[in-house]
Amino acid sequence: MRITDMNWFQVESYLQTDDRCIVPLGSTEQHAYLSLSVDSLLAERVALEAAEPLGVPVFPVLHYGVAPYFRTFPGTITLRVETYIQIIRDILNSLRDTGFKRIVLVNGHGGNRPAGALAQEWAMQQQGVRVKFYNWWNAPQTWARMQQIHPLGTHASWMENFPWTRLANVVMPTDAKPALDLGLLDVLNAAEQRVFLGDGNFGGPYQMPDEDMLAMWAVAVKETRALLTSGWGEA
Amino acid sequence: MRITDMNWFQVESYLQTDDRCIVPLGSTEQHAYLSLSVDSLLAERVALEAAEPLGVPVFPVLHYGVAPYFRTFPGTITLRVETYIQIIRDILNSLRDTGFKRIVLVNGHGGNRPAGALAQEWAMQQQGVRVKFYNWWNAPQTWARMQQIHPLGTHASWMENFPWTRLANVVMPTDAKPALDLGLLDVLNAAEQRVFLGDGNFGGPYQMPDEDMLAMWAVAVKETRALLTSGWGEA
Amino acid sequence: MRITDMNWFQVESYLQTDDRCIVPLGSTEQHAYLSLSVDSLLAERVALEAAEPLGVPVFPVLHYGVAPYFRTFPGTITLRVETYIQIIRDILNSLRDTGFKRIVLVNGHGGNRPAGALAQEWAMQQQGVRVKFYNWWNAPQTWARMQQIHPLGTHASWMENFPWTRLANVVMPTDAKPALDLGLLDVLNAAEQRVFLGDGNFGGPYQMPDEDMLAMWAVAVKETRALLTSGWGEA
Amino acid sequence: MRITDMNWFQVESYLQTDDRCIVPLGSTEQHAYLSLSVDSLLAERVALEAAEPLGVPVFPVLHYGVAPYFRTFPGTITLRVETYIQIIRDILNSLRDTGFKRIVLVNGHGGNRPAGALAQEWAMQQQGVRVKFYNWWNAPQTWARMQQIHPLGTHASWMENFPWTRLANVVMPTDAKPALDLGLLDVLNAAEQRVFLGDGNFGGPYQMPDEDMLAMWAVAVKETRALLTSGWGEA
Amino acid sequence: MRITDMNWFQVESYLQTDDRCIVPLGSTEQHAYLSLSVDSLLAERVALEAAEPLGVPVFPVLHYGVAPYFRTFPGTITLRVETYIQIIRDILNSLRDTGFKRIVLVNGHGGNRPAGALAQEWAMQQQGVRVKFYNWWNAPQTWARMQQIHPLGTHASWMENFPWTRLANVVMPTDAKPALDLGLLDVLNAAEQRVFLGDGNFGGPYQMPDEDMLAMWAVAVKETRALLTSGWGEA
Amino acid sequence: MRITDMNWFQVESYLQTDDRCIVPLGSTEQHAYLSLSVDSLLAERVALEAAEPLGVPVFPVLHYGVAPYFRTFPGTITLRVETYIQIIRDILNSLRDTGFKRIVLVNGHGGNRPAGALAQEWAMQQQGVRVKFYNWWNAPQTWARMQQIHPLGTHASWMENFPWTRLANVVMPTDAKPALDLGLLDVLNAAEQRVFLGDGNFGGPYQMPDEDMLAMWAVAVKETRALLTSGWGEA
C-alpha cells in the first residue's frame, strides 16, 4: 500500500498490528534509450508488488541517488555520497520515531550502495529496530533467473527494459552491444565516461521477450517479499 | 513534460533550443485527513501543468522535506535542515553541469524554505545560470484567489483539499476547525505538537466546493507558468 | 541587561528566579549610506530596550550572518547557510545546558531566516526548553506602524535609518529611490547584484523624520517585549 | 577604525590604497568576577588601538568561541570546534572576495586556537592573500611584560582585569588564588570542571595596580600594531 | 617501496619517471583468534609485494576503517562512513597535488567499501588523474584460488590466517565453525552482534596448511600487481 | 604492547584489570632528508617504550595528519582540520564503547593540535572516561633536555634525527641551517612554502651525536610514561 494513499490516522492504525515498511531508493540518471527514471520505477514497483498482499506500506521512492559517472549525460542528477548517507539516516530516524521497527530499503541503483553502509552503522545503535538494505536485482534468485534469459545483463540493457520502463515512440536497437570493460567505469573522468559509455548501455541486447521479463519479475517480487516475512532475527 | 517520460537523448535534444527546467519539492508528512503526500502531489502537479504548454521538462518530485514539528505523526518523514540544503545544492550542480541554465524549484511545503536560502547562496557564484525558489501556494495571485474562497486557509485545511489529494473512503469533517495559535508551532516540542495540533489541520474548514478549488488551481498554474516565461534578468 | 555587564555568579543568581534570555542576531553587510552594522545595531538595541524593564539578560549580538547577495560590496561578510545553522544550534545547546529555558532569538536580517528553521528543528527535541525566532522589523504591529510612515520601506532605506545607524559626516540622498524588482535579488549572481543594487538601498526614501522613526521604534520595543512575557505555551 | 562606523563606499575607498584589516575573535565565557565578555573586550580593544594610527579597519568582534570546559558556568556559550573553523573559513573567504589581502585575526581566547589551524590551511590555497592568526596575550613582548608584573597570570586572574573588564559593584578578592593544576583542565568532564575551577580563576592574584596593567597594555597594543606593519612576506 | 623508507627528494625524483602509488586501507577490528590488525597487515603486505618489482611507492596503511558491527568487541575501532569518505578524499587530493596520477587504493576490509564510492565520485572531476579502489581478497583470480582451498572462507577464518597474522602463543580451534547467516550481520544491533558472532569468525575452518595459503597469496600479489600495470585507460 | 599483537580476547582480558591505552598520532610529510614518516615513527615508538613496562596496549599509529604547509612537497599527505577532528572523535568513541576509560593521544606532529581541542570538547561530555592529548617533544622535561643538546631544534633538524628515522644511503648535510622566520610559515601559500622552506628543515644542525639523542629519548620515554601513571584526576 502506498503511503501516498494513506493519511496519518491510517498509518497509526496500521502500526497497532504491524511495524514493517519499505522505502524504495531510486535514481534519476541516463539509461540509454529507456526512461531516466528506470531505477526509481523498478525499485518502487517491486516494493509495491512485494508488499501488496502483506499490507505493508510503501513510502514514496527517493528519486535521487548517487550516479557520478553519468553526470555528463543530460537529465542525470547525482548526489554526493555524504549527502546521500545523511538522507538515509534522517529517513531511518523518522521512521523509527513514529513507530516502525522493521524497515526495508529496496534499492534500484548500484551507486546507492553507501546507503547500505549507513544503514549498517545506524542499525548498531538501535534497540529493537531493524533495517535491511537490499538490491532487488542481484538478490540470488532474481540474478539466477536473469542469467537464464541472457548471460549479459547490465545497466540500461534488456535487464532494465520492461513495459513500464520503455518510452513511447522510442525504437530500441535490435543488435546487442558488446560488453564494456567495467574496470574503466571507475577510472575515467566524467567527460571520458561520456565517450566511453556511448549510448549508456553497459553491454548486451537492448530488449528481450516480455514474457521472459515478466517471469523474471515475478521471481524478483517473490524474493523481495520474502525479505519482509523472514530474516529479522530474534530481537 | 516529465523527465520520467524522457531518455537522455531527448533531454540533450531539448537543451539545444531551451535551457529551462523545474524541480518540484514536496514532503511526506501529516495532512490530517488528506494524503501524507499532499505537498508532493501539489508541487509536482502545478509544475507539470505550468510547464506543459511550454515543453519544459519537470524532474521527479523530491518526496522528502523538512517537517520537524510533525515528527510524532505516523508516516511523517523529516530531513534535518543541513541535509536538505545539501540535497538542493547537489541537484542544482547536477542540473547546471548537464546544461540547464534556468531552473525553477517549485516548493509545496513551508518547512522547505531553507532551500530558498541555499538557492540564493548558490546563485551568487554562477555564471549565466539562474535559479528561482518559489512557494506556489503563497504567490500573490494564488494567495489572493484563496482569500476569496475563505479567509482561513491553512496546512491540511480545505486549501490543500483537491480531488487529487483526497483519499478514497475517508470522510472529511463538515465543521470548521478554529484557527490554531501558530506562534506555538515554533515553541512546543515534538510530543507537545501532537496534542496541540490535534488532527493536524491548522484551522479552517476541511473542504470547499471543487469548482472553487479548480478555479484557484487555474490561477496557481498560470502564475507558476509566468515564472518560467519571465523575470530571468538580462544575463 | 547585557551579559557583557555580568559575571557568571550574577547569571547564576538570575537563573534562580527567571529562565529567559535574548540573543540578538545581526549581520555585517552593506546598507548603502548607513553603517555596515545596521542589522546588528538594531537587533541588539531592540533586544536591550525590550528586556530592560524585565531584567532579562541580553547576550552579545552575533555580528555575522547570511548575506550572499551582498558579497561583492566591500565590508560585507557572509556565512554559508550550513555554517550559520551550526552556530545557532551550538548557542542554543549552550544556553540550555547552563539553565536557560526560554530563549528568544531576535533577528535583524532577513538572510538569517534559516536560523528560524534550525530553531524549530532544535525545539522539537527539547524537554521544557522553549525557543522563539523573531524578526523584529516585520512583526505585525511594527510593520503596520512602518507602513504608516511610508509605504515603501526596504533594506537600507529610511526604514533602517535611525540616529544610531547613521554615520557622522555622511550626507544622505534627498530623493527617493524607485523600488527594485526584488525577484531579481534571487536570480542574479554576485557580480550582477552589484550593478543591479546600485547604492544598495532596495527602494524608497533614504530618511524620514526622526520623530516618526522613534515612534515606530517604541512600537517595535513594545512588541518585542511582549514576546518575552507571553506565548510560551503551557509546558 | 570600526567597520561599524563605516559604510561600504568608505570601505571601497579604503581598499584603493590599502588592503589590511583586523577581525577580533572573542568568547562569551566565565571569567570569575570579571565580565563574561572579557575575551571579546580585550581582543577588540587591542585591535582598535593597534589599528587606529594606521587607519586599518577593524571588523566587529566575533563574540562566540570555543570554551567547552566552561560549559557548566552560567552565561558561557561554546561552539564546537567544527562549527568554529567553518565560521573562520567563511569570514576569510568573504574578506578576500571584497578585496582585503592582508588579514589579521586577533584572538583573545586560548580555546579558539583551532582558528589558527584553519587559517593556515586556508592560507595555503590563496594567491596574494595573507592571513595571520595572533594570540595577543602571549605574544613575546607582551608575555614578558606580564611576567614582570607577576609570575602567575592566568585565565580570569589579574592578567585580564582592566578598568574595561571589571564590573561595577563587584568587589574582587584581595588574596591570591593558588595555581590550579592545568593538566586536569583537559581531563575532567564538564561537571567536574565546575568543582575543580571553583570561582573560575586559574590561579594568581585577582587584581594588580592599574598603572602596571596600562603599561603592559601599551606593550600589547604596540606589539599587535607591529603585526600589521611587517612580516607579510614578499608576495 | 615504502614511503616510510623515502624522503621527499626521493619521491620527487621518482615522480619524474613514474606517477603511480598505492595506499593500503586497513582496519583495527576483531578477527577472532587472529591479530586485531589482520586487515591492515594483509592490505599493506599485498601492496608492498605487488609494488616491489615495479618500484612503485606504498604509502603507510590507514589503520582505521569502518566496522560498526564489531564495535562491542574490545580493541575494535570504527569510523563513521562520513568520516571515512572525507579521509579518502583528502588523501586523494594530497596525492594528486604533489604529482601522483595513477593511484591504487588496496583495501583489506569489506566495511571500507564506501571509499570506493568516494573514489568514483572524486575521479569524475579529475583531469588526467586516475584512481582504482580494489578489494584484494575478492579479485577474481584470488577468490577462485581461495575456493579451491576450501569453499567456506570468511572474516577471521582460515582465509585471513597467515604466518604474519597469527599471534604467538595463541592456539587456533581445530574444528570448523558453521557458517553464520550473514543476513543477520546487517540486522542485529551492536550488542546482539556480540552474541551472534561468538568468537568473531563468520564460519569455516580456522586454519589451513600454510603451503596452500602461500600459493593463494602468490596469486593475490600477482593479481594486485596487474592492477598497477594495466587498465588505466587512454587518458 | 601493540594492539596489532593482540586479539580481542586478550584485550577483553586486559580490560578486566586495567583501562588505559595509547593512540599515537603521526603524519606523513616532508622531513627534509629524513623519512617521510618521522612523526609516525617517533610517536609510535615513544608510546610503545613508555607503555611497555606497564603493559598498556598501544593502538596502531594514525599515519595521516594535518600538514597543509607541506602540501607541495612530494609524498606529503594532509587532512583538512575538519576531517581530522572527526577521526579523533570516532576513535575516542570507539575506545570508550569497548571499555577503555583512560586514553592518551600521543602526538608527534604540531599540525595535529586541533586533535587536542577536539579531545577537550569530547572529554566534557564523558562520565568516568578521561583523555589526554600530549605532544611528546615539547613536554617540559623533554624540551629542557633538548635545549641542552642544542638551542635550535626544529622540524626536520637534528631534533628528529634518530637511528630509526634516518634513511639508509642518505648523507646528511654537515653544516647547520640558519633558523627560518617561522612567522612566515603561517603567511605564505603552498607554492611559496616550497621556496621558503628549501630542503624542509626549519633551522639548526642536521644531526647530533646519537648518544645525546638517546639520552634525550630516555627522558621523553620516561616523561610519557608518567602521563600514564598519574594526573588522571579523582573521578
Side-chain angles (χ1 to χ4, degrees), chain C residues 4 12 35 37 60 64 71 80 83 86 90 194, chain D residues 4 12 35 37 60 64 71 80 83 86 90 97 194:
Chain C
T4 295
E12 185 181 51
S35 163
S37 294
Y64 300 104
R71 66 181 310 151
R80 286 167 300 144
T83 301
Q86 304 227 42
D90 289 356
R194 180 70 181 271
Chain D
T4 294
E12 186 180 51
S35 164
S37 293
Y64 299 105
R71 68 181 310 154
R80 286 168 301 144
T83 301
Q86 304 227 43
D90 290 355
D97 291 352
R194 182 70 182 272

PDB file of all heavy atoms in Angstrom, chain C residues 4 12 35 37 60 64 71 80 83 86 90 194, chain D residues 4 12 35 37 60 64 71 80 83 86 90 97 194:
ATOM      1  N   THR C   4      27.435  41.105  28.914  1.00  0.00           N
ATOM      2  CA  THR C   4      28.767  41.717  28.995  1.00  0.00           C
ATOM      3  C   THR C   4      28.958  42.475  30.307  1.00  0.00           C
ATOM      4  O   THR C   4      30.084  42.642  30.774  1.00  0.00           O
ATOM      5  CB  THR C   4      28.966  42.645  27.779  1.00  0.00           C
ATOM      6  OG1 THR C   4      28.971  41.840  26.606  1.00  0.00           O
ATOM      7  CG2 THR C   4      30.270  43.428  27.859  1.00  0.00           C
ATOM      8  N   GLU C  12      24.138  33.119  37.365  1.00  0.00           N
ATOM      9  CA  GLU C  12      23.659  32.003  38.192  1.00  0.00           C
ATOM     10  C   GLU C  12      22.556  32.473  39.139  1.00  0.00           C
ATOM     11  O   GLU C  12      21.530  31.799  39.323  1.00  0.00           O
ATOM     12  CB  GLU C  12      24.836  31.444  38.994  1.00  0.00           C
ATOM     13  CG  GLU C  12      24.492  30.206  39.787  1.00  0.00           C
ATOM     14  CD  GLU C  12      25.696  29.705  40.574  1.00  0.00           C
ATOM     15  OE1 GLU C  12      26.324  30.502  41.303  1.00  0.00           O
ATOM     16  OE2 GLU C  12      26.019  28.512  40.442  1.00  0.00           O
ATOM     17  N   SER C  35      25.573  52.532   8.312  1.00  0.00           N
ATOM     18  CA  SER C  35      26.608  51.664   8.886  1.00  0.00           C
ATOM     19  C   SER C  35      26.520  50.236   8.343  1.00  0.00           C
ATOM     20  O   SER C  35      25.433  49.681   8.146  1.00  0.00           O
ATOM     21  CB  SER C  35      26.433  51.608  10.410  1.00  0.00           C
ATOM     22  OG  SER C  35      27.144  50.513  10.953  1.00  0.00           O
ATOM     23  N   SER C  37      26.958  47.849  10.047  1.00  0.00           N
ATOM     24  CA  SER C  37      26.442  47.053  11.171  1.00  0.00           C
ATOM     25  C   SER C  37      24.981  47.340  11.482  1.00  0.00           C
ATOM     26  O   SER C  37      24.516  47.003  12.581  1.00  0.00           O
ATOM     27  CB  SER C  37      27.288  47.321  12.425  1.00  0.00           C
ATOM     28  OG  SER C  37      28.598  46.842  12.269  1.00  0.00           O
ATOM     29  N   PRO C  60      25.597  38.967  23.821  1.00  0.00           N
ATOM     30  CA  PRO C  60      26.200  39.808  22.786  1.00  0.00           C
ATOM     31  C   PRO C  60      25.680  39.436  21.402  1.00  0.00           C
ATOM     32  O   PRO C  60      25.442  38.253  21.116  1.00  0.00           O
ATOM     33  CB  PRO C  60      27.697  39.493  22.896  1.00  0.00           C
ATOM     34  CG  PRO C  60      27.892  38.955  24.272  1.00  0.00           C
ATOM     35  CD  PRO C  60      26.616  38.224  24.599  1.00  0.00           C
ATOM     36  N   TYR C  64      27.774  38.336  12.627  1.00  0.00           N
ATOM     37  CA  TYR C  64      27.922  37.815  11.272  1.00  0.00           C
ATOM     38  C   TYR C  64      26.738  36.942  10.895  1.00  0.00           C
ATOM     39  O   TYR C  64      26.303  36.115  11.703  1.00  0.00           O
ATOM     40  CB  TYR C  64      29.243  37.055  11.141  1.00  0.00           C
ATOM     41  CG  TYR C  64      30.414  37.973  11.439  1.00  0.00           C
ATOM     42  CD1 TYR C  64      31.105  37.906  12.643  1.00  0.00           C
ATOM     43  CD2 TYR C  64      30.773  38.956  10.532  1.00  0.00           C
ATOM     44  CE1 TYR C  64      32.153  38.782  12.924  1.00  0.00           C
ATOM     45  CE2 TYR C  64      31.814  39.838  10.793  1.00  0.00           C
ATOM     46  CZ  TYR C  64      32.494  39.749  11.996  1.00  0.00           C
ATOM     47  OH  TYR C  64      33.511  40.626  12.263  1.00  0.00           O
ATOM     48  N   ARG C  71      27.794  39.986  -1.300  1.00  0.00           N
ATOM     49  CA  ARG C  71      29.194  39.616  -1.097  1.00  0.00           C
ATOM     50  C   ARG C  71      30.179  40.385  -1.962  1.00  0.00           C
ATOM     51  O   ARG C  71      31.383  40.322  -1.733  1.00  0.00           O
ATOM     52  CB  ARG C  71      29.405  38.118  -1.237  1.00  0.00           C
ATOM     53  CG  ARG C  71      29.179  37.543  -2.612  1.00  0.00           C
ATOM     54  CD  ARG C  71      29.416  36.027  -2.548  1.00  0.00           C
ATOM     55  NE  ARG C  71      30.695  35.724  -1.900  1.00  0.00           N
ATOM     56  CZ  ARG C  71      30.967  34.621  -1.218  1.00  0.00           C
ATOM     57  NH1 ARG C  71      30.047  33.705  -1.096  1.00  0.00           N
ATOM     58  NH2 ARG C  71      32.151  34.427  -0.694  1.00  0.00           N
ATOM     59  N   ARG C  80      28.002  30.829   5.131  1.00  0.00           N
ATOM     60  CA  ARG C  80      27.161  29.883   4.410  1.00  0.00           C
ATOM     61  C   ARG C  80      25.991  29.439   5.298  1.00  0.00           C
ATOM     62  O   ARG C  80      26.113  29.433   6.526  1.00  0.00           O
ATOM     63  CB  ARG C  80      27.978  28.659   4.002  1.00  0.00           C
ATOM     64  CG  ARG C  80      28.937  28.932   2.844  1.00  0.00           C
ATOM     65  CD  ARG C  80      29.920  27.790   2.708  1.00  0.00           C
ATOM     66  NE  ARG C  80      30.671  27.648   3.937  1.00  0.00           N
ATOM     67  CZ  ARG C  80      31.070  26.491   4.450  1.00  0.00           C
ATOM     68  NH1 ARG C  80      30.804  25.366   3.818  1.00  0.00           N
ATOM     69  NH2 ARG C  80      31.742  26.445   5.582  1.00  0.00           N
ATOM     70  N   THR C  83      26.935  26.782   7.796  1.00  0.00           N
ATOM     71  CA  THR C  83      27.703  27.282   8.939  1.00  0.00           C
ATOM     72  C   THR C  83      26.768  27.943   9.944  1.00  0.00           C
ATOM     73  O   THR C  83      26.862  27.715  11.152  1.00  0.00           O
ATOM     74  CB  THR C  83      28.734  28.332   8.458  1.00  0.00           C
ATOM     75  OG1 THR C  83      29.600  27.730   7.508  1.00  0.00           O
ATOM     76  CG2 THR C  83      29.547  28.878   9.623  1.00  0.00           C
ATOM     77  N   GLN C  86      24.725  25.751  12.195  1.00  0.00           N
ATOM     78  CA  GLN C  86      25.521  25.084  13.224  1.00  0.00           C
ATOM     79  C   GLN C  86      25.802  26.042  14.380  1.00  0.00           C
ATOM     80  O   GLN C  86      25.838  25.633  15.547  1.00  0.00           O
ATOM     81  CB  GLN C  86      26.833  24.587  12.633  1.00  0.00           C
ATOM     82  CG  GLN C  86      26.592  23.677  11.435  1.00  0.00           C
ATOM     83  CD  GLN C  86      27.434  22.425  11.520  1.00  0.00           C
ATOM     84  OE1 GLN C  86      27.574  21.839  12.577  1.00  0.00           O
ATOM     85  NE2 GLN C  86      27.984  22.017  10.395  1.00  0.00           N
ATOM     86  N   ASP C  90      24.669  25.365  18.301  1.00  0.00           N
ATOM     87  CA  ASP C  90      25.618  25.360  19.415  1.00  0.00           C
ATOM     88  C   ASP C  90      25.227  26.382  20.481  1.00  0.00           C
ATOM     89  O   ASP C  90      25.342  26.110  21.686  1.00  0.00           O
ATOM     90  CB  ASP C  90      27.028  25.676  18.906  1.00  0.00           C
ATOM     91  CG  ASP C  90      27.627  24.543  18.090  1.00  0.00           C
ATOM     92  OD1 ASP C  90      26.999  23.479  17.980  1.00  0.00           O
ATOM     93  OD2 ASP C  90      28.728  24.723  17.544  1.00  0.00           O
ATOM     94  N   ARG C 194      25.808  43.659  -7.790  1.00  0.00           N
ATOM     95  CA  ARG C 194      26.498  44.916  -7.545  1.00  0.00           C
ATOM     96  C   ARG C 194      25.984  46.005  -8.485  1.00  0.00           C
ATOM     97  O   ARG C 194      25.800  47.159  -8.093  1.00  0.00           O
ATOM     98  CB  ARG C 194      28.009  44.701  -7.717  1.00  0.00           C
ATOM     99  CG  ARG C 194      28.854  45.906  -7.487  1.00  0.00           C
ATOM    100  CD  ARG C 194      28.861  46.305  -6.004  1.00  0.00           C
ATOM    101  NE  ARG C 194      29.666  47.498  -5.828  1.00  0.00           N
ATOM    102  CZ  ARG C 194      30.977  47.487  -5.594  1.00  0.00           C
ATOM    103  NH1 ARG C 194      31.609  46.353  -5.440  1.00  0.00           N
ATOM    104  NH2 ARG C 194      31.637  48.610  -5.479  1.00  0.00           N
TER     105      ARG C 194
ATOM    106  N   THR D   4      31.931  49.175  11.883  1.00  0.00           N
ATOM    107  CA  THR D   4      30.605  49.636  12.307  1.00  0.00           C
ATOM    108  C   THR D   4      30.428  51.129  12.069  1.00  0.00           C
ATOM    109  O   THR D   4      29.298  51.606  11.893  1.00  0.00           O
ATOM    110  CB  THR D   4      30.413  49.294  13.807  1.00  0.00           C
ATOM    111  OG1 THR D   4      30.389  47.868  13.931  1.00  0.00           O
ATOM    112  CG2 THR D   4      29.119  49.867  14.375  1.00  0.00           C
ATOM    113  N   GLU D  12      35.203  50.654   0.337  1.00  0.00           N
ATOM    114  CA  GLU D  12      35.680  50.585  -1.047  1.00  0.00           C
ATOM    115  C   GLU D  12      36.792  51.605  -1.281  1.00  0.00           C
ATOM    116  O   GLU D  12      37.805  51.314  -1.938  1.00  0.00           O
ATOM    117  CB  GLU D  12      34.509  50.863  -1.987  1.00  0.00           C
ATOM    118  CG  GLU D  12      34.849  50.691  -3.441  1.00  0.00           C
ATOM    119  CD  GLU D  12      33.643  50.973  -4.327  1.00  0.00           C
ATOM    120  OE1 GLU D  12      33.025  52.047  -4.158  1.00  0.00           O
ATOM    121  OE2 GLU D  12      33.318  50.125  -5.170  1.00  0.00           O
ATOM    122  N   SER D  35      33.800  40.419  33.731  1.00  0.00           N
ATOM    123  CA  SER D  35      32.761  40.318  32.697  1.00  0.00           C
ATOM    124  C   SER D  35      32.836  38.992  31.944  1.00  0.00           C
ATOM    125  O   SER D  35      33.927  38.491  31.646  1.00  0.00           O
ATOM    126  CB  SER D  35      32.944  41.454  31.693  1.00  0.00           C
ATOM    127  OG  SER D  35      32.220  41.197  30.511  1.00  0.00           O
ATOM    128  N   SER D  37      32.381  38.811  29.022  1.00  0.00           N
ATOM    129  CA  SER D  37      32.898  39.171  27.696  1.00  0.00           C
ATOM    130  C   SER D  37      34.362  39.579  27.713  1.00  0.00           C
ATOM    131  O   SER D  37      34.832  40.218  26.760  1.00  0.00           O
ATOM    132  CB  SER D  37      32.064  40.318  27.111  1.00  0.00           C
ATOM    133  OG  SER D  37      30.750  39.911  26.823  1.00  0.00           O
ATOM    134  N   PRO D  60      33.732  43.872  13.431  1.00  0.00           N
ATOM    135  CA  PRO D  60      33.133  43.615  14.751  1.00  0.00           C
ATOM    136  C   PRO D  60      33.646  42.294  15.327  1.00  0.00           C
ATOM    137  O   PRO D  60      33.861  41.326  14.601  1.00  0.00           O
ATOM    138  CB  PRO D  60      31.631  43.526  14.440  1.00  0.00           C
ATOM    139  CG  PRO D  60      31.442  44.246  13.154  1.00  0.00           C
ATOM    140  CD  PRO D  60      32.714  44.029  12.383  1.00  0.00           C
ATOM    141  N   TYR D  64      31.511  34.804  20.034  1.00  0.00           N
ATOM    142  CA  TYR D  64      31.354  33.423  20.481  1.00  0.00           C
ATOM    143  C   TYR D  64      32.533  32.572  20.023  1.00  0.00           C
ATOM    144  O   TYR D  64      32.956  32.664  18.863  1.00  0.00           O
ATOM    145  CB  TYR D  64      30.031  32.860  19.969  1.00  0.00           C
ATOM    146  CG  TYR D  64      28.860  33.669  20.510  1.00  0.00           C
ATOM    147  CD1 TYR D  64      28.168  34.575  19.709  1.00  0.00           C
ATOM    148  CD2 TYR D  64      28.512  33.564  21.851  1.00  0.00           C
ATOM    149  CE1 TYR D  64      27.136  35.346  20.232  1.00  0.00           C
ATOM    150  CE2 TYR D  64      27.471  34.327  22.373  1.00  0.00           C
ATOM    151  CZ  TYR D  64      26.791  35.218  21.562  1.00  0.00           C
ATOM    152  OH  TYR D  64      25.785  35.976  22.089  1.00  0.00           O
ATOM    153  N   ARG D  71      31.452  25.040  30.127  1.00  0.00           N
ATOM    154  CA  ARG D  71      30.046  24.975  29.723  1.00  0.00           C
ATOM    155  C   ARG D  71      29.070  24.803  30.869  1.00  0.00           C
ATOM    156  O   ARG D  71      27.861  24.966  30.657  1.00  0.00           O
ATOM    157  CB  ARG D  71      29.830  23.927  28.652  1.00  0.00           C
ATOM    158  CG  ARG D  71      30.012  22.495  29.066  1.00  0.00           C
ATOM    159  CD  ARG D  71      29.779  21.590  27.855  1.00  0.00           C
ATOM    160  NE  ARG D  71      28.519  21.935  27.208  1.00  0.00           N
ATOM    161  CZ  ARG D  71      28.235  21.722  25.936  1.00  0.00           C
ATOM    162  NH1 ARG D  71      29.145  21.210  25.150  1.00  0.00           N
ATOM    163  NH2 ARG D  71      27.065  22.034  25.445  1.00  0.00           N
ATOM    164  N   ARG D  80      31.187  24.257  18.934  1.00  0.00           N
ATOM    165  CA  ARG D  80      32.023  23.087  18.651  1.00  0.00           C
ATOM    166  C   ARG D  80      33.198  23.490  17.753  1.00  0.00           C
ATOM    167  O   ARG D  80      33.085  24.438  16.966  1.00  0.00           O
ATOM    168  CB  ARG D  80      31.193  22.002  17.962  1.00  0.00           C
ATOM    169  CG  ARG D  80      30.229  21.282  18.923  1.00  0.00           C
ATOM    170  CD  ARG D  80      29.254  20.442  18.151  1.00  0.00           C
ATOM    171  NE  ARG D  80      28.501  21.317  17.246  1.00  0.00           N
ATOM    172  CZ  ARG D  80      28.092  20.997  16.039  1.00  0.00           C
ATOM    173  NH1 ARG D  80      28.319  19.800  15.549  1.00  0.00           N
ATOM    174  NH2 ARG D  80      27.432  21.855  15.299  1.00  0.00           N
ATOM    175  N   THR D  83      32.242  23.753  14.125  1.00  0.00           N
ATOM    176  CA  THR D  83      31.483  24.957  13.793  1.00  0.00           C
ATOM    177  C   THR D  83      32.428  26.148  13.662  1.00  0.00           C
ATOM    178  O   THR D  83      32.343  26.944  12.716  1.00  0.00           O
ATOM    179  CB  THR D  83      30.458  25.254  14.908  1.00  0.00           C
ATOM    180  OG1 THR D  83      29.573  24.140  15.049  1.00  0.00           O
ATOM    181  CG2 THR D  83      29.662  26.514  14.601  1.00  0.00           C
ATOM    182  N   GLN D  86      34.471  26.491  10.549  1.00  0.00           N
ATOM    183  CA  GLN D  86      33.672  26.880   9.380  1.00  0.00           C
ATOM    184  C   GLN D  86      33.398  28.387   9.392  1.00  0.00           C
ATOM    185  O   GLN D  86      33.375  29.025   8.339  1.00  0.00           O
ATOM    186  CB  GLN D  86      32.354  26.117   9.371  1.00  0.00           C
ATOM    187  CG  GLN D  86      32.591  24.619   9.409  1.00  0.00           C
ATOM    188  CD  GLN D  86      31.753  23.883   8.393  1.00  0.00           C
ATOM    189  OE1 GLN D  86      31.629  24.312   7.246  1.00  0.00           O
ATOM    190  NE2 GLN D  86      31.178  22.783   8.790  1.00  0.00           N
ATOM    191  N   ASP D  90      34.535  30.981   6.381  1.00  0.00           N
ATOM    192  CA  ASP D  90      33.596  31.848   5.676  1.00  0.00           C
ATOM    193  C   ASP D  90      33.993  33.318   5.792  1.00  0.00           C
ATOM    194  O   ASP D  90      33.892  34.080   4.823  1.00  0.00           O
ATOM    195  CB  ASP D  90      32.185  31.662   6.248  1.00  0.00           C
ATOM    196  CG  ASP D  90      31.578  30.311   5.894  1.00  0.00           C
ATOM    197  OD1 ASP D  90      32.198  29.544   5.126  1.00  0.00           O
ATOM    198  OD2 ASP D  90      30.472  30.017   6.378  1.00  0.00           O
ATOM    199  N   ASP D  97      37.074  38.094  -0.881  1.00  0.00           N
ATOM    200  CA  ASP D  97      36.246  38.334  -2.058  1.00  0.00           C
ATOM    201  C   ASP D  97      35.876  39.802  -2.246  1.00  0.00           C
ATOM    202  O   ASP D  97      35.495  40.205  -3.340  1.00  0.00           O
ATOM    203  CB  ASP D  97      34.983  37.471  -2.011  1.00  0.00           C
ATOM    204  CG  ASP D  97      35.311  35.995  -2.206  1.00  0.00           C
ATOM    205  OD1 ASP D  97      36.479  35.675  -2.520  1.00  0.00           O
ATOM    206  OD2 ASP D  97      34.406  35.157  -2.042  1.00  0.00           O
ATOM    207  N   ARG D 194      33.422  22.325  37.048  1.00  0.00           N
ATOM    208  CA  ARG D 194      32.743  23.311  37.886  1.00  0.00           C
ATOM    209  C   ARG D 194      33.267  23.269  39.323  1.00  0.00           C
ATOM    210  O   ARG D 194      33.478  24.306  39.944  1.00  0.00           O
ATOM    211  CB  ARG D 194      31.231  23.040  37.844  1.00  0.00           C
ATOM    212  CG  ARG D 194      30.399  23.996  38.630  1.00  0.00           C
ATOM    213  CD  ARG D 194      30.389  25.376  37.981  1.00  0.00           C
ATOM    214  NE  ARG D 194      29.606  26.279  38.788  1.00  0.00           N
ATOM    215  CZ  ARG D 194      28.290  26.452  38.669  1.00  0.00           C
ATOM    216  NH1 ARG D 194      27.618  25.831  37.717  1.00  0.00           N
ATOM    217  NH2 ARG D 194      27.653  27.282  39.458  1.00  0.00           N
TER     218      ARG D 194
END
